[in-house]
Amino acid sequence: MKAILALADGTVFHGESFGSTKTLGGEVCFNTSMTGYQEVLTDPSYRGQIVTMTYTQIGNYGINSLDVESDRVQVAGFVAREVSPVVSNWRSEMSLHEYLEKNNVPGIQKIDTRALTKLLRSKGATNGIITTEAISDAAAVDLARKVDYNGVDYVSEVTCKEPYVWDPEDRLSGEWTIPNASTGNADAVATGPNWHRRLPPAKYNLVAYDFGIKRNILRRLRQVGFKTTVVPAKTPASEVLKLNADAVFLSNGPGNPELLTYAHSTVRELIGKKTLFGICLGHQIMSYAVGGRTYKLKFGHRGGNQPVMDQTTGRVSITSQNHGFAVDADSVTQSGMEVTHVNLNDNTCEGMRHREHPVFSVQYHPEASPGPNDASYFFRQFADMVGKG
């Protein structure tokens, strides 16, 4: 079936449909990761966005039920140069087409994704639609111009409805290995038919704000000794303080951080009372909590190859990133914070810490999934900070 990708600037791409046959709109962006499309599809940070994969062939290893980052597909649409006609992987349970069809999300392939990416880099991220309807190009562009991304609170759509404890039986947090076989590692432990890495004791109680939290973040936190209670995004600081946790985590999430005034005030109340660690949207919310601000990037950072320098050590990490906004460094350095990490591509603020309180945050994703694990040490650093009181 034919499909159309129409952009608000009037550009139209014609291609082939895969996934669901419908019309959906969102902000069109691109991701440079070569693998990890399933994690991208289910990352709540992509809520409201049509994601273009710059790698040429997508879908060759299929979809499985273990590698999801949330309980559903979050993207508004998916764009690929080519969806693999063959799926070859022993873990695969269905094809990419079947997965998007099941989750009612449209995709388009057989378009020039390099031309689309170059357009987004030169003109900036823009709103658009994917449609399988038999409409004119002009009608499709008109629909694209009606899409609103920056004015929507997508966090309210993806956050949990009620508090819950993550993985209370320690069945989800170990890293997956080969089914029905021991790795020969003394730290391996059987859980059902699978083998996992043995987890350390859960020494610390943590409250995690769910602004769109990825499951691999929760796994990483458990792997360094946290027992995590996840709470909805609008949970008041007073209720979190009643839980008497050892620390508070601020998760990643979608959309414009400026709109989340309820989160700004909540985090402001927690600073100085709890050890705080924020990732991605949590980092941006932290900036507003201390009186700073953010600004929209031209086309964002999305992919697994972003170089970031730790200004305190000079160490450079290749990082996984997914954001369209950045913290204004000058605004936070005037508000009690110091910038600790910068992006070497454009010198944007990628990390900061409070000068007086045990509070720090990073813009990128140390849990990766997908992407490199260079920055995974942040979870151990967080646990060590809590352990030292």
Side-chain angles (χ1 to χ4, degrees):
M1 178 178 289
K2 294 181 179 180
I4 295 174
L5 170 65
L7 307 182
D9 72 346
T11 304
V12 176
F13 294 87
H14 291 267
E16 294 181 6
S17 166
F18 68 98
S20 177
T21 54
K22 63 182 305 183
T23 300
L24 273 182
E27 182 183 60
V28 183
C29 61
F30 63 89
N31 185 295
T32 58
S33 297
M34 295 174 66
T35 62
Y37 53 84
Q38 182 174 346
E39 291 91 332
V40 169
L41 289 169
T42 56
D43 182 348
S45 295
Y46 281 113
R47 189 77 171 179
Q49 292 180 310
I50 296 172
V51 180
T52 304
M53 301 300 290
T54 61
Y55 190 62
T56 51
Q57 189 180 72
I58 301 297
N60 57 314
Y61 56 85
I63 300 288
N64 68 78
S65 57
L66 302 179
D67 291 343
V68 295
E69 290 299 328
S70 66
D71 60 359
R72 55 185 161 167
V73 173
Q74 301 286 354
V75 302
F78 204 48
V79 183
R81 177 68 186 90
E82 179 186 36
V83 175
S84 176
V86 177
V87 173
S88 179
N89 189 283
W90 63 271
R91 299 171 75 234
S92 177
E93 299 167 13
M94 69 182 75
S95 69
L96 174 58
H97 163 70
E98 291 169 329
Y99 189 53
L100 291 186
E101 187 176 46
K102 177 182 177 181
N103 284 272
N104 207 27
V105 173
I108 184 171
Q109 65 167 325
K110 302 297 177 65
I111 73 165
D112 189 343
T113 51
R114 183 167 66 173
L116 174 58
T117 301
K118 290 176 70 175
L119 184 151
L120 296 175
R121 282 183 59 87
S122 61
K123 293 186 177 181
T126 184
N127 293 332
I129 65 157
I130 294 176
T131 182
T132 55
E133 297 179 48
I135 59 175
S136 67
D137 290 359
V141 169
D142 185 56
L143 289 174
R145 289 172 176 165
K146 294 177 180 177
V147 172
D148 180 19
Y149 175 76
N150 291 332
V152 177
D153 176 6
Y154 288 106
V155 169
S156 295
E157 296 182 11
V158 300
T159 188
C160 59
K161 304 305 180 185
E162 300 290 339
Y164 66 92
V165 176
W166 165 255
D167 195 14
E169 298 180 350
D170 287 343
R171 291 181 175 271
L172 303 173
S173 299
E175 296 181 0
W176 291 95
T177 58
I178 300 174
N180 303 310
S182 170
T183 62
N185 188 325
D187 289 331
V189 59
T191 306
N194 298 289
W195 288 80
H196 300 262
R197 185 176 66 183
R198 192 182 303 276
L199 294 168
K203 298 187 293 183
Y204 310 118
N205 289 315
L206 177 71
V207 171
Y209 270 93
D210 179 12
F211 302 122
I213 198 164
K214 292 173 63 180
R215 289 182 179 174
N216 206 44
I217 288 177
L218 292 166
R219 294 188 194 101
R220 293 288 191 175
L221 289 166
R222 178 61 191 89
Q223 289 166 11
V224 296
F226 285 106
K227 177 181 179 181
T228 303
T229 299
V230 183
V231 298
K234 293 184 178 181
T235 304
S238 57
E239 290 188 24
V240 167
L241 291 172
K242 288 178 183 178
L243 296 175
N244 199 30
D246 298 299
V248 175
F249 176 79
L250 312 175
S251 84
N252 63 294
N256 184 354
E258 186 177 4
L259 302 178
L260 310 178
T261 53
Y262 54 87
H264 306 166
S265 58
T266 295
V267 176
R268 190 176 299 122
E269 290 183 54
L270 293 171
I271 292 175
K273 298 175 183 176
K274 292 292 178 182
T275 300
L276 295 175
F277 176 31
I279 286 177
C280 201
L281 181 62
H283 166 79
Q284 297 164 358
I285 290 170
M286 189 92 72
S287 72
Y288 282 100
V290 299
R293 58 185 178 271
T294 64
Y295 59 95
K296 189 168 178 60
L297 294 167
K298 186 175 182 180
F299 49 82
H301 301 156
R302 297 179 182 89
N305 55 356
Q306 293 281 336
V308 171
M309 175 179 283
D310 183 337
Q311 296 199 115
T312 62
T313 65
R315 173 181 175 178
V316 176
S317 298
I318 303 301
T319 68
S320 178
Q321 303 204 6
N322 172 21
H323 57 273
F325 294 82
V327 168
D328 183 316
D330 291 337
S331 72
V332 292
T333 54
Q334 297 169 8
S335 306
M337 306 291 281
E338 60 180 342
V339 174
T340 55
H341 297 74
V342 295
N343 189 302
L344 295 182
N345 285 336
D346 58 12
N347 207 40
T348 50
C349 171
E350 294 276 8
M352 60 186 183
R353 66 185 175 197
H354 203 282
R355 295 190 181 98
E356 298 178 12
H357 304 296
V359 171
F360 73 107
S361 61
V362 291
Q363 179 64 80
Y364 47 101
H365 285 263
E367 84 289 349
S369 191
N373 292 306
D374 293 22
S376 60
Y377 65 89
F378 278 108
F379 295 102
R380 172 56 58 192
Q381 180 177 312
F382 183 37
D384 290 345
M385 184 181 291
V386 174
K388 293 176 182 177

